[in-house]
Short mmCIF file of all heavy atoms in Angstrom, two decimals:
data_model
loop_
_atom_site.label_atom_id
_atom_site.label_comp_id
_atom_site.label_asym_id
_atom_site.label_seq_id
_atom_site.Cartn_x
_atom_site.Cartn_y
_atom_site.Cartn_z
N HIS H 7 -41.77 -149.67 -28.68
CA HIS H 7 -40.58 -149.84 -29.54
C HIS H 7 -39.34 -149.38 -28.81
O HIS H 7 -38.26 -150.03 -29.04
CB HIS H 7 -40.82 -149.02 -30.84
CG HIS H 7 -39.71 -149.09 -31.82
ND1 HIS H 7 -38.52 -148.33 -31.77
CD2 HIS H 7 -39.58 -149.88 -32.93
CE1 HIS H 7 -37.75 -148.68 -32.73
NE2 HIS H 7 -38.35 -149.63 -33.48
N GLY H 8 -39.42 -148.29 -28.14
CA GLY H 8 -38.23 -147.78 -27.38
C GLY H 8 -37.49 -146.72 -28.03
O GLY H 8 -36.82 -145.91 -27.34
N ASP H 9 -37.50 -146.63 -29.32
CA ASP H 9 -36.71 -145.60 -30.04
C ASP H 9 -37.33 -145.38 -31.42
O ASP H 9 -36.62 -145.33 -32.42
CB ASP H 9 -35.25 -146.06 -30.13
CG ASP H 9 -34.38 -144.92 -30.71
OD1 ASP H 9 -34.74 -143.78 -30.57
OD2 ASP H 9 -33.32 -145.28 -31.34
N LEU H 10 -38.60 -145.19 -31.46
CA LEU H 10 -39.32 -145.16 -32.69
C LEU H 10 -39.20 -143.83 -33.42
O LEU H 10 -39.71 -142.82 -32.83
CB LEU H 10 -40.78 -145.56 -32.60
CG LEU H 10 -41.58 -145.77 -33.86
CD1 LEU H 10 -40.87 -146.80 -34.74
CD2 LEU H 10 -43.01 -146.13 -33.57
N SER H 11 -38.60 -143.78 -34.55
CA SER H 11 -38.46 -142.56 -35.33
C SER H 11 -38.96 -142.85 -36.76
O SER H 11 -39.21 -144.00 -37.18
CB SER H 11 -37.02 -142.11 -35.40
OG SER H 11 -36.24 -142.98 -36.15
N ALA H 12 -39.13 -141.78 -37.53
CA ALA H 12 -39.62 -141.95 -38.90
C ALA H 12 -38.56 -142.73 -39.77
O ALA H 12 -38.95 -143.22 -40.83
CB ALA H 12 -39.88 -140.60 -39.53
N ASP H 13 -37.33 -142.81 -39.32
CA ASP H 13 -36.29 -143.55 -40.08
C ASP H 13 -36.38 -145.04 -39.78
O ASP H 13 -35.64 -145.80 -40.35
CB ASP H 13 -34.89 -143.02 -39.74
CG ASP H 13 -34.60 -141.65 -40.36
OD1 ASP H 13 -35.23 -141.33 -41.41
OD2 ASP H 13 -33.73 -140.95 -39.79
N GLU H 14 -37.23 -145.43 -38.77
CA GLU H 14 -37.31 -146.82 -38.42
C GLU H 14 -38.58 -147.44 -39.05
O GLU H 14 -38.95 -148.58 -38.68
CB GLU H 14 -37.42 -146.97 -36.87
CG GLU H 14 -36.16 -146.50 -36.15
CD GLU H 14 -34.95 -147.40 -36.31
OE1 GLU H 14 -35.10 -148.46 -36.98
OE2 GLU H 14 -33.93 -147.06 -35.78
N VAL H 15 -39.24 -146.76 -40.00
CA VAL H 15 -40.44 -147.24 -40.57
C VAL H 15 -40.24 -147.14 -42.14
O VAL H 15 -40.07 -146.11 -42.70
CB VAL H 15 -41.68 -146.46 -40.18
CG1 VAL H 15 -42.94 -147.09 -40.77
CG2 VAL H 15 -41.80 -146.39 -38.67
N ILE H 16 -40.30 -148.35 -42.81
CA ILE H 16 -40.25 -148.36 -44.23
C ILE H 16 -41.65 -148.31 -44.81
O ILE H 16 -42.56 -149.02 -44.30
CB ILE H 16 -39.53 -149.63 -44.72
CG1 ILE H 16 -38.09 -149.69 -44.24
CG2 ILE H 16 -39.59 -149.75 -46.23
CD1 ILE H 16 -37.37 -151.00 -44.59
N VAL H 17 -41.82 -147.47 -45.79
CA VAL H 17 -43.14 -147.41 -46.44
C VAL H 17 -43.09 -148.38 -47.56
O VAL H 17 -42.73 -148.12 -48.67
CB VAL H 17 -43.41 -145.97 -47.01
CG1 VAL H 17 -44.81 -145.89 -47.61
CG2 VAL H 17 -43.31 -144.93 -45.86
N GLY H 18 -43.47 -149.63 -47.23
CA GLY H 18 -43.43 -150.76 -48.20
C GLY H 18 -44.67 -150.77 -49.11
O GLY H 18 -45.66 -150.18 -48.83
N ALA H 19 -44.56 -151.61 -50.13
CA ALA H 19 -45.67 -151.74 -51.06
C ALA H 19 -46.90 -152.29 -50.38
O ALA H 19 -48.03 -151.99 -50.84
CB ALA H 19 -45.27 -152.66 -52.22
N MET H 20 -46.80 -153.05 -49.33
CA MET H 20 -47.91 -153.66 -48.64
C MET H 20 -48.20 -152.95 -47.36
O MET H 20 -49.01 -153.49 -46.61
CB MET H 20 -47.66 -155.17 -48.41
CG MET H 20 -47.35 -155.97 -49.61
SD MET H 20 -48.62 -155.89 -50.86
CE MET H 20 -49.94 -156.85 -49.92
N GLY H 21 -47.56 -151.84 -47.13
CA GLY H 21 -47.84 -151.08 -45.90
C GLY H 21 -46.60 -150.80 -45.09
O GLY H 21 -45.48 -151.15 -45.51
N PRO H 22 -46.75 -150.16 -43.95
CA PRO H 22 -45.55 -149.82 -43.13
C PRO H 22 -44.85 -151.02 -42.53
O PRO H 22 -45.53 -151.99 -42.09
CB PRO H 22 -46.16 -148.90 -41.99
CG PRO H 22 -47.62 -149.31 -41.97
CD PRO H 22 -47.96 -149.73 -43.36
N VAL H 23 -43.57 -150.95 -42.53
CA VAL H 23 -42.68 -152.04 -41.94
C VAL H 23 -41.83 -151.40 -40.89
O VAL H 23 -41.10 -150.44 -41.15
CB VAL H 23 -41.88 -152.72 -43.04
CG1 VAL H 23 -41.03 -153.81 -42.48
CG2 VAL H 23 -42.76 -153.22 -44.19
N PHE H 24 -41.90 -151.91 -39.65
CA PHE H 24 -41.16 -151.37 -38.52
C PHE H 24 -39.86 -152.16 -38.24
O PHE H 24 -39.82 -153.35 -38.19
CB PHE H 24 -42.06 -151.40 -37.26
CG PHE H 24 -43.27 -150.51 -37.41
CD1 PHE H 24 -44.40 -150.96 -38.07
CD2 PHE H 24 -43.26 -149.27 -36.79
CE1 PHE H 24 -45.51 -150.09 -38.18
CE2 PHE H 24 -44.38 -148.43 -36.86
CZ PHE H 24 -45.53 -148.84 -37.60
N LEU H 25 -38.80 -151.36 -38.06
CA LEU H 25 -37.45 -151.96 -37.88
C LEU H 25 -37.00 -151.76 -36.44
O LEU H 25 -37.42 -150.93 -35.70
CB LEU H 25 -36.48 -151.23 -38.81
CG LEU H 25 -36.84 -151.11 -40.33
CD1 LEU H 25 -35.82 -150.30 -41.06
CD2 LEU H 25 -36.96 -152.48 -40.90
N ASP H 26 -35.99 -152.56 -36.10
CA ASP H 26 -35.14 -152.39 -34.96
C ASP H 26 -35.87 -152.29 -33.62
O ASP H 26 -36.06 -151.22 -33.08
CB ASP H 26 -34.21 -151.14 -35.11
CG ASP H 26 -33.18 -151.06 -34.06
OD1 ASP H 26 -32.97 -152.03 -33.30
OD2 ASP H 26 -32.51 -149.94 -33.99
N TRP H 27 -36.22 -153.48 -33.05
CA TRP H 27 -36.95 -153.54 -31.81
C TRP H 27 -36.04 -153.79 -30.59
O TRP H 27 -36.43 -154.29 -29.60
CB TRP H 27 -38.02 -154.56 -31.85
CG TRP H 27 -39.09 -154.25 -32.92
CD1 TRP H 27 -39.11 -154.50 -34.17
CD2 TRP H 27 -40.34 -153.51 -32.60
NE1 TRP H 27 -40.24 -153.97 -34.76
CE2 TRP H 27 -41.05 -153.39 -33.77
CE3 TRP H 27 -40.95 -153.07 -31.40
CZ2 TRP H 27 -42.25 -152.79 -33.91
CZ3 TRP H 27 -42.21 -152.45 -31.51
CH2 TRP H 27 -42.85 -152.32 -32.74
N SER H 28 -34.75 -153.44 -30.72
CA SER H 28 -33.84 -153.80 -29.66
C SER H 28 -34.05 -153.06 -28.35
O SER H 28 -33.70 -153.56 -27.29
CB SER H 28 -32.39 -153.51 -30.15
OG SER H 28 -32.21 -152.20 -30.48
N ASP H 29 -34.70 -151.89 -28.43
CA ASP H 29 -34.98 -151.18 -27.17
C ASP H 29 -36.40 -151.45 -26.66
O ASP H 29 -36.91 -150.73 -25.81
CB ASP H 29 -34.82 -149.65 -27.41
CG ASP H 29 -33.38 -149.25 -27.47
OD1 ASP H 29 -32.50 -150.05 -27.13
OD2 ASP H 29 -33.08 -148.12 -27.89
N GLY H 30 -37.03 -152.41 -27.26
CA GLY H 30 -38.42 -152.74 -26.93
C GLY H 30 -38.63 -153.15 -25.47
O GLY H 30 -37.75 -153.84 -24.94
N SER H 31 -39.74 -152.80 -24.89
CA SER H 31 -40.04 -153.21 -23.53
C SER H 31 -41.54 -153.22 -23.39
O SER H 31 -42.30 -152.79 -24.26
CB SER H 31 -39.46 -152.21 -22.52
OG SER H 31 -40.03 -150.96 -22.63
N ILE H 32 -41.99 -153.71 -22.25
CA ILE H 32 -43.46 -153.77 -21.92
C ILE H 32 -43.81 -152.58 -21.02
O ILE H 32 -43.30 -152.56 -19.88
CB ILE H 32 -43.82 -155.08 -21.24
CG1 ILE H 32 -43.39 -156.29 -22.09
CG2 ILE H 32 -45.38 -155.15 -21.03
CD1 ILE H 32 -43.42 -157.60 -21.31
#
């Protein structure tokens, strides 16, 4: 993800949703 924090994950009704992949790399 590159910058994964607890503020980048929404606890949705169907499970966790991950936001903002702009710093993503392999």
Side-chain angles (χ1 to χ4, degrees):
H7 182 278
D9 187 27
L10 189 56
S11 70
D13 287 335
E14 298 287 358
V15 184
I16 297 174
V17 183
M20 303 301 291
V23 180
F24 294 81
L25 308 176
D26 190 10
W27 293 86
S28 58
D29 287 347
S31 64
I32 306 169

